[in-house]
Amino acid sequence: MADFSIADIKALRDKTGAGMMDVKNALAEAEGDTAKAEELLRLKGLKTAAKREGRSATAGLVASKIVDGGAGKIGYVVEVNSETDFVAKNEKFIAFAEEILDAVVAAGATTVEAALAAPLGDITVDDHVKNFTGIIGEKLAVGRVEVLEGEYVEAYMHRTSPDLPAQVAVLIATDAAGAGVAHDVAIHIAAMNPPYLSEADVPAEVVETERRIATELTIAEGKPEQAVPMIVEGRLKGFYKQNVLLEQAYARDPKLSVAQVLVEAGATVSGFSRIRVGEASEASSAAE
């Protein structure tokens, strides 16, 4: 009979996060050799991860942390995915996501690839994801990593349902004067989802496409030829008001633009990012 104690089971369970029976069975199969038992548990996790590789992980959560940077603050957001909301709200999964976030911050990782390669204890984040897949029984993944630096950085985490962890995360970077309005502007970004910060940030090819569509539409409507350029510019302005943060009507007071709110506060926004859980997977599926 294998020689191991309750203390051995608890120690291995604490180290791997595996279930009680899984740990007990692994120790029994390894005849009490904890190192071999740990290897068996990891192998189980890898096999489970491989079986679920083709599954879609579009649920999950977003987690954030703001740390001190060389010239101000650095904000991190990590999206950690599961297959179902049932797992996403599990306390073990939430703790798992926080461990990944801490590893990403400690490593200064700015991409998913760098995040997966980051050390987490004596293994990597990638290993941890595969191991935990075996424990949870669903496909798990690190979906996105966003990093933003600025004089002042704030994170806003939005719950789309009260019984789920945050599903939308916004990072916003401002100057010091922006600290007082950063939170409210971040809420606006979460709600309105602007793709661009300023008109200058809209790619030239996007502007040209919008201009061409507006021109063709205006001509098709039979507008006078001399009025076409003015109408097109008006429609282009409408595009900016829908898609550019600074030109959007402020969610808390639509009579003002976001730019006007910032001017009143004497503030400047230098950048922002927004993540919604599952968004990257949906975009990937749409492109296929």
Side-chain angles (χ1 to χ4, degrees):
M1 184 175 177
D3 183 19
F4 58 88
S5 65
I6 294 297
D8 293 328
I9 295 174
K10 184 179 184 305
L12 188 55
R13 189 182 184 197
D14 289 344
K15 185 175 183 180
T16 63
M20 179 73 77
M21 288 307 299
D22 287 335
V23 169
K24 187 176 179 181
N25 291 337
L27 280 167
E29 186 177 344
E31 298 182 342
D33 185 328
T34 56
K36 186 176 179 181
E38 184 180 351
E39 186 177 325
L40 289 170
L41 288 168
R42 286 191 63 193
L43 182 59
K44 179 188 175 187
L46 290 170
K47 286 181 177 178
T48 303
K51 285 179 181 178
R52 306 194 76 84
E53 194 59 41
R55 301 293 290 267
S56 177
T58 56
L61 57 80
V62 281
S64 69
K65 180 172 281 191
I66 309 296
V67 298
D68 290 332
K73 300 289 184 180
I74 305 175
Y76 289 84
V77 168
V78 174
E79 175 188 2
V80 183
N81 299 114
S82 60
E83 291 182 36
T84 65
D85 286 340
F86 178 77
V87 165
K89 60 186 178 183
N90 180 286
E91 288 184 6
K92 287 186 177 180
F93 179 80
I94 294 171
F96 162 75
E98 288 294 335
E99 289 176 341
I100 291 175
L101 173 64
D102 288 342
V104 166
V105 173
T110 59
T111 65
V112 170
E113 292 74 20
L116 292 174
L120 201 168
D122 57 356
I123 59 176
T124 66
V125 168
D126 191 32
D127 291 331
H128 192 46
V129 170
K130 289 172 180 174
N131 292 346
F132 206 64
T133 293
I135 296 166
I136 293 294
E138 285 194 6
K139 179 181 178 180
L140 308 176
V142 177
R144 288 176 63 184
V145 174
E146 289 288 337
V147 181
L148 189 64
E149 295 187 51
E151 188 174 358
Y152 178 82
V153 177
E154 181 153 335
Y156 169 66
M157 312 298 287
H158 178 72
R159 292 172 179 256
T160 57
S161 175
D163 66 334
L164 291 174
Q167 301 281 293
V168 177
V170 173
L171 288 175
I172 182 169
T174 72
D175 55 7
V181 295
H183 179 72
D184 288 343
V185 176
I187 292 174
H188 170 98
I189 293 168
M192 305 307 292
N193 192 19
Y196 312 106
L197 171 59
S198 68
E199 290 186 17
D201 295 314
V202 184
E205 60 270 22
V206 173
V207 175
E208 284 309 306
T209 297
E210 291 299 320
R211 192 186 301 278
R212 175 177 55 78
I213 292 171
T215 300
E216 292 174 359
L217 179 62
T218 303
I219 292 172
E221 289 172 344
K223 302 297 183 184
E225 184 176 347
Q226 64 272 22
V228 169
M230 182 177 65
I231 295 172
V232 167
E233 290 307 310
R235 284 178 163 163
L236 197 58
K237 192 67 176 175
F239 167 81
Y240 290 138
K241 286 183 177 180
Q242 287 185 339
N243 295 279
V244 172
L245 172 63
L246 297 180
E247 303 304 320
Q248 286 182 331
Y250 188 43
R252 294 192 63 175
D253 185 355
K255 292 180 290 185
L256 299 174
S257 69
V258 173
Q260 288 172 317
V261 171
L262 293 169
V263 167
E264 287 183 4
T268 301
V269 173
S270 56
F272 72 90
S273 64
R274 179 185 184 275
I275 291 180
R276 178 175 63 81
V277 168
E279 198 168 45
S281 297
E282 291 169 7
S284 176
S285 298
E288 292 176 355

PDB file of all heavy atoms in Angstrom, residues 227-256:
ATOM      1  N   ALA A 227     -23.233  71.505 -53.710  1.00  0.00           N
ATOM      2  CA  ALA A 227     -23.442  71.280 -52.269  1.00  0.00           C
ATOM      3  C   ALA A 227     -22.798  69.982 -51.772  1.00  0.00           C
ATOM      4  O   ALA A 227     -22.678  69.779 -50.567  1.00  0.00           O
ATOM      5  CB  ALA A 227     -24.935  71.254 -51.957  1.00  0.00           C
ATOM      6  N   VAL A 228     -22.367  69.128 -52.712  1.00  0.00           N
ATOM      7  CA  VAL A 228     -21.844  67.816 -52.331  1.00  0.00           C
ATOM      8  C   VAL A 228     -20.663  67.895 -51.360  1.00  0.00           C
ATOM      9  O   VAL A 228     -20.661  67.211 -50.322  1.00  0.00           O
ATOM     10  CB  VAL A 228     -21.479  66.985 -53.578  1.00  0.00           C
ATOM     11  CG1 VAL A 228     -20.696  65.730 -53.200  1.00  0.00           C
ATOM     12  CG2 VAL A 228     -22.747  66.605 -54.339  1.00  0.00           C
ATOM     13  N   PRO A 229     -19.621  68.705 -51.645  1.00  0.00           N
ATOM     14  CA  PRO A 229     -18.471  68.736 -50.713  1.00  0.00           C
ATOM     15  C   PRO A 229     -18.853  69.114 -49.286  1.00  0.00           C
ATOM     16  O   PRO A 229     -18.362  68.512 -48.328  1.00  0.00           O
ATOM     17  CB  PRO A 229     -17.551  69.790 -51.340  1.00  0.00           C
ATOM     18  CG  PRO A 229     -17.912  69.782 -52.786  1.00  0.00           C
ATOM     19  CD  PRO A 229     -19.384  69.557 -52.826  1.00  0.00           C
ATOM     20  N   MET A 230     -19.743  70.099 -49.133  1.00  0.00           N
ATOM     21  CA  MET A 230     -20.147  70.545 -47.807  1.00  0.00           C
ATOM     22  C   MET A 230     -20.928  69.447 -47.079  1.00  0.00           C
ATOM     23  O   MET A 230     -20.713  69.196 -45.876  1.00  0.00           O
ATOM     24  CB  MET A 230     -21.004  71.804 -47.906  1.00  0.00           C
ATOM     25  CG  MET A 230     -21.425  72.375 -46.555  1.00  0.00           C
ATOM     26  SD  MET A 230     -22.364  73.912 -46.711  1.00  0.00           S
ATOM     27  CE  MET A 230     -23.843  73.294 -47.553  1.00  0.00           C
ATOM     28  N   ILE A 231     -21.815  68.769 -47.818  1.00  0.00           N
ATOM     29  CA  ILE A 231     -22.605  67.691 -47.212  1.00  0.00           C
ATOM     30  C   ILE A 231     -21.704  66.533 -46.803  1.00  0.00           C
ATOM     31  O   ILE A 231     -21.858  65.941 -45.722  1.00  0.00           O
ATOM     32  CB  ILE A 231     -23.704  67.215 -48.186  1.00  0.00           C
ATOM     33  CG1 ILE A 231     -24.708  68.345 -48.434  1.00  0.00           C
ATOM     34  CG2 ILE A 231     -24.415  65.978 -47.636  1.00  0.00           C
ATOM     35  CD1 ILE A 231     -25.716  68.057 -49.524  1.00  0.00           C
ATOM     36  N   VAL A 232     -20.739  66.207 -47.649  1.00  0.00           N
ATOM     37  CA  VAL A 232     -19.799  65.120 -47.351  1.00  0.00           C
ATOM     38  C   VAL A 232     -19.003  65.422 -46.085  1.00  0.00           C
ATOM     39  O   VAL A 232     -18.824  64.560 -45.214  1.00  0.00           O
ATOM     40  CB  VAL A 232     -18.849  64.873 -48.541  1.00  0.00           C
ATOM     41  CG1 VAL A 232     -17.684  63.973 -48.126  1.00  0.00           C
ATOM     42  CG2 VAL A 232     -19.607  64.257 -49.705  1.00  0.00           C
ATOM     43  N   GLU A 233     -18.518  66.665 -45.965  1.00  0.00           N
ATOM     44  CA  GLU A 233     -17.766  67.037 -44.769  1.00  0.00           C
ATOM     45  C   GLU A 233     -18.640  66.969 -43.527  1.00  0.00           C
ATOM     46  O   GLU A 233     -18.175  66.596 -42.442  1.00  0.00           O
ATOM     47  CB  GLU A 233     -17.178  68.445 -44.928  1.00  0.00           C
ATOM     48  CG  GLU A 233     -16.048  68.527 -45.942  1.00  0.00           C
ATOM     49  CD  GLU A 233     -14.953  67.503 -45.674  1.00  0.00           C
ATOM     50  OE1 GLU A 233     -14.479  67.429 -44.516  1.00  0.00           O
ATOM     51  OE2 GLU A 233     -14.586  66.767 -46.605  1.00  0.00           O
ATOM     52  N   GLY A 234     -19.906  67.310 -43.679  1.00  0.00           N
ATOM     53  CA  GLY A 234     -20.831  67.213 -42.554  1.00  0.00           C
ATOM     54  C   GLY A 234     -21.032  65.771 -42.110  1.00  0.00           C
ATOM     55  O   GLY A 234     -21.072  65.471 -40.916  1.00  0.00           O
ATOM     56  N   ARG A 235     -21.141  64.876 -43.097  1.00  0.00           N
ATOM     57  CA  ARG A 235     -21.304  63.459 -42.770  1.00  0.00           C
ATOM     58  C   ARG A 235     -20.027  62.876 -42.174  1.00  0.00           C
ATOM     59  O   ARG A 235     -20.079  62.013 -41.291  1.00  0.00           O
ATOM     60  CB  ARG A 235     -21.725  62.698 -44.023  1.00  0.00           C
ATOM     61  CG  ARG A 235     -23.193  62.934 -44.353  1.00  0.00           C
ATOM     62  CD  ARG A 235     -23.661  62.256 -45.600  1.00  0.00           C
ATOM     63  NE  ARG A 235     -25.117  62.219 -45.603  1.00  0.00           N
ATOM     64  CZ  ARG A 235     -25.873  61.981 -46.681  1.00  0.00           C
ATOM     65  NH1 ARG A 235     -25.297  61.746 -47.851  1.00  0.00           N
ATOM     66  NH2 ARG A 235     -27.188  61.956 -46.575  1.00  0.00           N
ATOM     67  N   LEU A 236     -18.891  63.364 -42.631  1.00  0.00           N
ATOM     68  CA  LEU A 236     -17.620  62.912 -42.061  1.00  0.00           C
ATOM     69  C   LEU A 236     -17.515  63.373 -40.603  1.00  0.00           C
ATOM     70  O   LEU A 236     -17.017  62.631 -39.742  1.00  0.00           O
ATOM     71  CB  LEU A 236     -16.462  63.457 -42.892  1.00  0.00           C
ATOM     72  CG  LEU A 236     -15.094  62.789 -42.697  1.00  0.00           C
ATOM     73  CD1 LEU A 236     -15.167  61.296 -42.992  1.00  0.00           C
ATOM     74  CD2 LEU A 236     -14.049  63.453 -43.575  1.00  0.00           C
ATOM     75  N   LYS A 237     -18.009  64.577 -40.343  1.00  0.00           N
ATOM     76  CA  LYS A 237     -18.017  65.088 -38.967  1.00  0.00           C
ATOM     77  C   LYS A 237     -18.899  64.195 -38.092  1.00  0.00           C
ATOM     78  O   LYS A 237     -18.570  63.913 -36.929  1.00  0.00           O
ATOM     79  CB  LYS A 237     -18.548  66.517 -38.948  1.00  0.00           C
ATOM     80  CG  LYS A 237     -18.330  67.241 -37.619  1.00  0.00           C
ATOM     81  CD  LYS A 237     -16.866  67.495 -37.362  1.00  0.00           C
ATOM     82  CE  LYS A 237     -16.652  68.295 -36.089  1.00  0.00           C
ATOM     83  NZ  LYS A 237     -15.218  68.452 -35.761  1.00  0.00           N
ATOM     84  N   GLY A 238     -19.999  63.733 -38.659  1.00  0.00           N
ATOM     85  CA  GLY A 238     -20.879  62.822 -37.928  1.00  0.00           C
ATOM     86  C   GLY A 238     -20.183  61.507 -37.605  1.00  0.00           C
ATOM     87  O   GLY A 238     -20.378  60.941 -36.526  1.00  0.00           O
ATOM     88  N   PHE A 239     -19.367  61.027 -38.540  1.00  0.00           N
ATOM     89  CA  PHE A 239     -18.589  59.800 -38.305  1.00  0.00           C
ATOM     90  C   PHE A 239     -17.642  60.003 -37.128  1.00  0.00           C
ATOM     91  O   PHE A 239     -17.516  59.136 -36.252  1.00  0.00           O
ATOM     92  CB  PHE A 239     -17.808  59.431 -39.566  1.00  0.00           C
ATOM     93  CG  PHE A 239     -16.745  58.384 -39.345  1.00  0.00           C
ATOM     94  CD1 PHE A 239     -17.081  57.038 -39.291  1.00  0.00           C
ATOM     95  CD2 PHE A 239     -15.409  58.743 -39.173  1.00  0.00           C
ATOM     96  CE1 PHE A 239     -16.112  56.065 -39.068  1.00  0.00           C
ATOM     97  CE2 PHE A 239     -14.436  57.786 -38.959  1.00  0.00           C
ATOM     98  CZ  PHE A 239     -14.790  56.442 -38.903  1.00  0.00           C
ATOM     99  N   TYR A 240     -16.968  61.156 -37.096  1.00  0.00           N
ATOM    100  CA  TYR A 240     -16.046  61.447 -35.989  1.00  0.00           C
ATOM    101  C   TYR A 240     -16.794  61.502 -34.654  1.00  0.00           C
ATOM    102  O   TYR A 240     -16.297  60.999 -33.633  1.00  0.00           O
ATOM    103  CB  TYR A 240     -15.328  62.772 -36.221  1.00  0.00           C
ATOM    104  CG  TYR A 240     -14.312  62.756 -37.341  1.00  0.00           C
ATOM    105  CD1 TYR A 240     -14.217  63.815 -38.238  1.00  0.00           C
ATOM    106  CD2 TYR A 240     -13.444  61.679 -37.500  1.00  0.00           C
ATOM    107  CE1 TYR A 240     -13.276  63.809 -39.263  1.00  0.00           C
ATOM    108  CE2 TYR A 240     -12.504  61.660 -38.516  1.00  0.00           C
ATOM    109  CZ  TYR A 240     -12.423  62.725 -39.395  1.00  0.00           C
ATOM    110  OH  TYR A 240     -11.495  62.699 -40.401  1.00  0.00           O
ATOM    111  N   LYS A 241     -17.985  62.091 -34.643  1.00  0.00           N
ATOM    112  CA  LYS A 241     -18.751  62.202 -33.401  1.00  0.00           C
ATOM    113  C   LYS A 241     -19.174  60.841 -32.863  1.00  0.00           C
ATOM    114  O   LYS A 241     -19.386  60.676 -31.666  1.00  0.00           O
ATOM    115  CB  LYS A 241     -19.978  63.085 -33.618  1.00  0.00           C
ATOM    116  CG  LYS A 241     -19.648  64.566 -33.729  1.00  0.00           C
ATOM    117  CD  LYS A 241     -20.905  65.411 -33.870  1.00  0.00           C
ATOM    118  CE  LYS A 241     -20.551  66.894 -33.916  1.00  0.00           C
ATOM    119  NZ  LYS A 241     -21.765  67.737 -34.052  1.00  0.00           N
ATOM    120  N   GLN A 242     -19.287  59.859 -33.742  1.00  0.00           N
ATOM    121  CA  GLN A 242     -19.656  58.514 -33.318  1.00  0.00           C
ATOM    122  C   GLN A 242     -18.453  57.686 -32.891  1.00  0.00           C
ATOM    123  O   GLN A 242     -18.563  56.822 -32.002  1.00  0.00           O
ATOM    124  CB  GLN A 242     -20.380  57.783 -34.455  1.00  0.00           C
ATOM    125  CG  GLN A 242     -21.788  58.262 -34.707  1.00  0.00           C
ATOM    126  CD  GLN A 242     -22.489  57.419 -35.749  1.00  0.00           C
ATOM    127  OE1 GLN A 242     -21.858  56.743 -36.556  1.00  0.00           O
ATOM    128  NE2 GLN A 242     -23.805  57.438 -35.731  1.00  0.00           N
ATOM    129  N   ASN A 243     -17.291  57.911 -33.503  1.00  0.00           N
ATOM    130  CA  ASN A 243     -16.162  57.003 -33.362  1.00  0.00           C
ATOM    131  C   ASN A 243     -14.924  57.563 -32.675  1.00  0.00           C
ATOM    132  O   ASN A 243     -14.006  56.805 -32.355  1.00  0.00           O
ATOM    133  CB  ASN A 243     -15.752  56.489 -34.746  1.00  0.00           C
ATOM    134  CG  ASN A 243     -16.823  55.632 -35.384  1.00  0.00           C
ATOM    135  OD1 ASN A 243     -16.950  54.461 -35.080  1.00  0.00           O
ATOM    136  ND2 ASN A 243     -17.626  56.242 -36.266  1.00  0.00           N
ATOM    137  N   VAL A 244     -14.868  58.855 -32.442  1.00  0.00           N
ATOM    138  CA  VAL A 244     -13.687  59.483 -31.832  1.00  0.00           C
ATOM    139  C   VAL A 244     -14.042  59.945 -30.415  1.00  0.00           C
ATOM    140  O   VAL A 244     -14.995  60.699 -30.217  1.00  0.00           O
ATOM    141  CB  VAL A 244     -13.207  60.680 -32.676  1.00  0.00           C
ATOM    142  CG1 VAL A 244     -12.115  61.447 -31.955  1.00  0.00           C
ATOM    143  CG2 VAL A 244     -12.705  60.190 -34.030  1.00  0.00           C
ATOM    144  N   LEU A 245     -13.287  59.481 -29.432  1.00  0.00           N
ATOM    145  CA  LEU A 245     -13.586  59.796 -28.036  1.00  0.00           C
ATOM    146  C   LEU A 245     -13.772  61.286 -27.802  1.00  0.00           C
ATOM    147  O   LEU A 245     -14.767  61.717 -27.220  1.00  0.00           O
ATOM    148  CB  LEU A 245     -12.462  59.264 -27.130  1.00  0.00           C
ATOM    149  CG  LEU A 245     -12.546  59.683 -25.656  1.00  0.00           C
ATOM    150  CD1 LEU A 245     -13.810  59.128 -25.011  1.00  0.00           C
ATOM    151  CD2 LEU A 245     -11.301  59.245 -24.901  1.00  0.00           C
ATOM    152  N   LEU A 246     -12.819  62.101 -28.231  1.00  0.00           N
ATOM    153  CA  LEU A 246     -12.869  63.532 -27.933  1.00  0.00           C
ATOM    154  C   LEU A 246     -14.063  64.230 -28.581  1.00  0.00           C
ATOM    155  O   LEU A 246     -14.520  65.266 -28.083  1.00  0.00           O
ATOM    156  CB  LEU A 246     -11.571  64.212 -28.376  1.00  0.00           C
ATOM    157  CG  LEU A 246     -10.297  63.738 -27.670  1.00  0.00           C
ATOM    158  CD1 LEU A 246      -9.084  64.494 -28.208  1.00  0.00           C
ATOM    159  CD2 LEU A 246     -10.407  63.903 -26.162  1.00  0.00           C
ATOM    160  N   GLU A 247     -14.589  63.654 -29.678  1.00  0.00           N
ATOM    161  CA  GLU A 247     -15.714  64.280 -30.382  1.00  0.00           C
ATOM    162  C   GLU A 247     -17.066  63.744 -29.924  1.00  0.00           C
ATOM    163  O   GLU A 247     -18.105  64.317 -30.257  1.00  0.00           O
ATOM    164  CB  GLU A 247     -15.570  64.051 -31.894  1.00  0.00           C
ATOM    165  CG  GLU A 247     -14.264  64.558 -32.483  1.00  0.00           C
ATOM    166  CD  GLU A 247     -14.031  66.025 -32.219  1.00  0.00           C
ATOM    167  OE1 GLU A 247     -15.002  66.810 -32.294  1.00  0.00           O
ATOM    168  OE2 GLU A 247     -12.877  66.406 -31.922  1.00  0.00           O
ATOM    169  N   GLN A 248     -17.077  62.656 -29.168  1.00  0.00           N
ATOM    170  CA  GLN A 248     -18.345  62.071 -28.739  1.00  0.00           C
ATOM    171  C   GLN A 248     -19.059  62.960 -27.729  1.00  0.00           C
ATOM    172  O   GLN A 248     -18.426  63.687 -26.958  1.00  0.00           O
ATOM    173  CB  GLN A 248     -18.110  60.689 -28.103  1.00  0.00           C
ATOM    174  CG  GLN A 248     -17.779  59.607 -29.095  1.00  0.00           C
ATOM    175  CD  GLN A 248     -17.599  58.254 -28.438  1.00  0.00           C
ATOM    176  OE1 GLN A 248     -17.200  58.153 -27.274  1.00  0.00           O
ATOM    177  NE2 GLN A 248     -17.881  57.194 -29.175  1.00  0.00           N
ATOM    178  N   ALA A 249     -20.394  62.890 -27.748  1.00  0.00           N
ATOM    179  CA  ALA A 249     -21.181  63.573 -26.720  1.00  0.00           C
ATOM    180  C   ALA A 249     -20.939  62.851 -25.400  1.00  0.00           C
ATOM    181  O   ALA A 249     -21.021  61.623 -25.323  1.00  0.00           O
ATOM    182  CB  ALA A 249     -22.657  63.545 -27.086  1.00  0.00           C
ATOM    183  N   TYR A 250     -20.619  63.618 -24.367  1.00  0.00           N
ATOM    184  CA  TYR A 250     -20.263  63.050 -23.066  1.00  0.00           C
ATOM    185  C   TYR A 250     -21.464  62.321 -22.476  1.00  0.00           C
ATOM    186  O   TYR A 250     -22.567  62.873 -22.393  1.00  0.00           O
ATOM    187  CB  TYR A 250     -19.809  64.181 -22.153  1.00  0.00           C
ATOM    188  CG  TYR A 250     -19.234  63.759 -20.837  1.00  0.00           C
ATOM    189  CD1 TYR A 250     -18.337  62.702 -20.728  1.00  0.00           C
ATOM    190  CD2 TYR A 250     -19.576  64.461 -19.672  1.00  0.00           C
ATOM    191  CE1 TYR A 250     -17.793  62.348 -19.503  1.00  0.00           C
ATOM    192  CE2 TYR A 250     -19.028  64.121 -18.449  1.00  0.00           C
ATOM    193  CZ  TYR A 250     -18.148  63.056 -18.370  1.00  0.00           C
ATOM    194  OH  TYR A 250     -17.602  62.714 -17.154  1.00  0.00           O
ATOM    195  N   ALA A 251     -21.274  61.079 -22.053  1.00  0.00           N
ATOM    196  CA  ALA A 251     -22.383  60.242 -21.593  1.00  0.00           C
ATOM    197  C   ALA A 251     -23.125  60.861 -20.405  1.00  0.00           C
ATOM    198  O   ALA A 251     -24.348  60.752 -20.313  1.00  0.00           O
ATOM    199  CB  ALA A 251     -21.863  58.854 -21.217  1.00  0.00           C
ATOM    200  N   ARG A 252     -22.408  61.546 -19.514  1.00  0.00           N
ATOM    201  CA  ARG A 252     -23.053  62.116 -18.333  1.00  0.00           C
ATOM    202  C   ARG A 252     -23.732  63.456 -18.614  1.00  0.00           C
ATOM    203  O   ARG A 252     -24.576  63.902 -17.840  1.00  0.00           O
ATOM    204  CB  ARG A 252     -22.029  62.293 -17.207  1.00  0.00           C
ATOM    205  CG  ARG A 252     -21.493  60.972 -16.687  1.00  0.00           C
ATOM    206  CD  ARG A 252     -20.722  61.152 -15.402  1.00  0.00           C
ATOM    207  NE  ARG A 252     -21.564  61.645 -14.321  1.00  0.00           N
ATOM    208  CZ  ARG A 252     -21.150  61.788 -13.063  1.00  0.00           C
ATOM    209  NH1 ARG A 252     -19.907  61.497 -12.743  1.00  0.00           N
ATOM    210  NH2 ARG A 252     -21.950  62.239 -12.134  1.00  0.00           N
ATOM    211  N   ASP A 253     -23.351  64.117 -19.709  1.00  0.00           N
ATOM    212  CA  ASP A 253     -23.960  65.388 -20.089  1.00  0.00           C
ATOM    213  C   ASP A 253     -23.820  65.540 -21.603  1.00  0.00           C
ATOM    214  O   ASP A 253     -22.855  66.140 -22.091  1.00  0.00           O
ATOM    215  CB  ASP A 253     -23.281  66.558 -19.379  1.00  0.00           C
ATOM    216  CG  ASP A 253     -23.965  67.891 -19.664  1.00  0.00           C
ATOM    217  OD1 ASP A 253     -24.917  67.904 -20.494  1.00  0.00           O
ATOM    218  OD2 ASP A 253     -23.558  68.912 -19.096  1.00  0.00           O
ATOM    219  N   PRO A 254     -24.762  64.969 -22.380  1.00  0.00           N
ATOM    220  CA  PRO A 254     -24.660  64.954 -23.841  1.00  0.00           C
ATOM    221  C   PRO A 254     -24.591  66.328 -24.501  1.00  0.00           C
ATOM    222  O   PRO A 254     -24.280  66.431 -25.685  1.00  0.00           O
ATOM    223  CB  PRO A 254     -25.942  64.209 -24.269  1.00  0.00           C
ATOM    224  CG  PRO A 254     -26.318  63.394 -23.076  1.00  0.00           C
ATOM    225  CD  PRO A 254     -25.932  64.231 -21.898  1.00  0.00           C
ATOM    226  N   LYS A 255     -24.862  67.404 -23.733  1.00  0.00           N
ATOM    227  CA  LYS A 255     -24.739  68.749 -24.305  1.00  0.00           C
ATOM    228  C   LYS A 255     -23.274  69.127 -24.492  1.00  0.00           C
ATOM    229  O   LYS A 255     -22.966  70.075 -25.220  1.00  0.00           O
ATOM    230  CB  LYS A 255     -25.444  69.775 -23.403  1.00  0.00           C
ATOM    231  CG  LYS A 255     -26.962  69.639 -23.366  1.00  0.00           C
ATOM    232  CD  LYS A 255     -27.594  70.660 -22.468  1.00  0.00           C
ATOM    233  CE  LYS A 255     -27.291  70.368 -21.003  1.00  0.00           C
ATOM    234  NZ  LYS A 255     -28.012  71.290 -20.081  1.00  0.00           N
ATOM    235  N   LEU A 256     -22.381  68.402 -23.829  1.00  0.00           N
ATOM    236  CA  LEU A 256     -20.949  68.662 -23.938  1.00  0.00           C
ATOM    237  C   LEU A 256     -20.266  67.514 -24.658  1.00  0.00           C
ATOM    238  O   LEU A 256     -20.688  66.363 -24.568  1.00  0.00           O
ATOM    239  CB  LEU A 256     -20.323  68.802 -22.547  1.00  0.00           C
ATOM    240  CG  LEU A 256     -20.825  69.929 -21.647  1.00  0.00           C
ATOM    241  CD1 LEU A 256     -20.194  69.806 -20.271  1.00  0.00           C
ATOM    242  CD2 LEU A 256     -20.515  71.288 -22.258  1.00  0.00           C
TER     243      LEU A 256
END
